[in-house]
Amino acid sequence: QTCALPIFVITLAALVITAEILNTAIERLCDFVQPKQDDRIKTIKDLAAGAVLCASLAALIVGGMIVIRHLIR
Protein backbone atom coordinates (compact mmCIF):
# COMPACT_ATOMS: atom_id res chain seq x y z
CA GLN A 1 0.00 0.00 0.00
CA THR A 2 2.81 2.42 0.84
CA CYS A 3 4.57 1.50 -2.41
CA ALA A 4 1.40 1.97 -4.44
CA LEU A 5 1.07 5.71 -3.75
CA PRO A 6 4.37 6.76 -5.35
CA ILE A 7 3.59 4.50 -8.29
CA PHE A 8 0.21 6.21 -8.77
CA VAL A 9 1.77 9.67 -8.54
CA ILE A 10 4.58 8.84 -10.98
CA THR A 11 2.14 7.21 -13.40
CA LEU A 12 -0.21 10.18 -13.34
CA ALA A 13 2.63 12.65 -13.80
CA ALA A 14 3.87 10.61 -16.76
CA LEU A 15 0.33 10.56 -18.18
CA VAL A 16 0.08 14.36 -18.06
CA ILE A 17 3.57 14.85 -19.52
CA THR A 18 2.82 12.36 -22.29
CA ALA A 19 -0.46 14.11 -23.10
CA GLU A 20 1.38 17.45 -23.28
CA ILE A 21 4.04 16.01 -25.61
CA LEU A 22 1.39 14.51 -27.88
CA ASN A 23 -0.56 17.78 -27.87
CA THR A 24 2.56 19.70 -28.90
CA ALA A 25 3.31 17.20 -31.66
CA ILE A 26 -0.26 17.40 -32.99
CA GLU A 27 -0.24 21.21 -32.94
CA ARG A 28 3.09 21.40 -34.77
CA LEU A 29 1.96 18.85 -37.35
CA CYS A 30 -1.25 20.81 -37.91
CA ASP A 31 0.73 24.04 -38.33
CA PHE A 32 3.00 22.28 -40.84
CA VAL A 33 0.12 20.79 -42.85
CA GLN A 34 -2.02 23.95 -42.82
CA PRO A 35 -0.12 27.13 -41.91
CA LYS A 36 -3.19 29.30 -42.59
CA GLN A 37 -6.18 29.66 -40.28
CA ASP A 38 -8.55 26.69 -40.72
CA ASP A 39 -11.57 25.77 -38.61
CA ARG A 40 -10.85 22.05 -39.02
CA ILE A 41 -7.31 22.48 -37.71
CA LYS A 42 -8.66 24.56 -34.81
CA THR A 43 -11.01 21.69 -33.91
CA ILE A 44 -8.14 19.18 -34.00
CA LYS A 45 -6.00 21.40 -31.76
CA ASP A 46 -8.91 21.94 -29.36
CA LEU A 47 -9.46 18.18 -29.08
CA ALA A 48 -5.78 17.59 -28.37
CA ALA A 49 -5.82 20.30 -25.70
CA GLY A 50 -8.96 18.70 -24.25
CA ALA A 51 -7.09 15.43 -23.87
CA VAL A 52 -4.42 17.25 -21.84
CA LEU A 53 -7.14 18.80 -19.70
CA CYS A 54 -8.71 15.37 -19.04
CA ALA A 55 -5.35 13.87 -18.06
CA SER A 56 -4.61 16.84 -15.80
CA LEU A 57 -8.01 16.66 -14.12
CA ALA A 58 -7.60 12.93 -13.52
CA ALA A 59 -4.20 13.55 -11.93
CA LEU A 60 -5.66 16.35 -9.80
CA ILE A 61 -8.56 14.22 -8.60
CA VAL A 62 -6.42 11.21 -7.71
CA GLY A 63 -3.77 13.43 -6.12
CA GLY A 64 -6.46 15.18 -4.12
CA MET A 65 -7.86 11.86 -2.97
CA ILE A 66 -4.40 10.78 -1.80
CA VAL A 67 -3.84 14.03 0.11
CA ILE A 68 -7.32 13.98 1.68
CA ARG A 69 -6.85 10.36 2.70
CA HIS A 70 -3.63 11.26 4.52
CA LEU A 71 -5.20 14.28 6.19
CA ILE A 72 -8.12 12.24 7.51
CA ARG A 73 -5.82 9.65 9.12
Side-chain angles (χ1 to χ4, degrees):
Q1 192 177 37
T2 306
C3 183
L5 292 179
I7 291 171
F8 278 134
V9 171
I10 291 168
T11 301
L12 289 170
L15 173 70
V16 173
I17 292 168
T18 301
E20 273 293 350
I21 291 169
L22 290 172
N23 180 48
T24 301
I26 289 168
E27 287 192 0
R28 289 188 181 176
L29 179 61
C30 286
D31 291 341
F32 177 76
V33 170
Q34 180 55 275
K36 296 180 181 178
Q37 187 73 20
D38 187 328
D39 287 339
R40 295 171 296 182
I41 296 296
K42 181 186 180 312
T43 301
I44 292 167
K45 288 181 174 185
D46 287 346
L47 289 169
V52 174
L53 178 63
C54 288
S56 299
L57 287 175
L60 177 67
I61 290 168
V62 173
M65 291 170 64
I66 291 170
V67 169
I68 289 170
R69 182 173 176 215
H70 283 291
L71 290 176
I72 291 174
R73 284 185 174 183

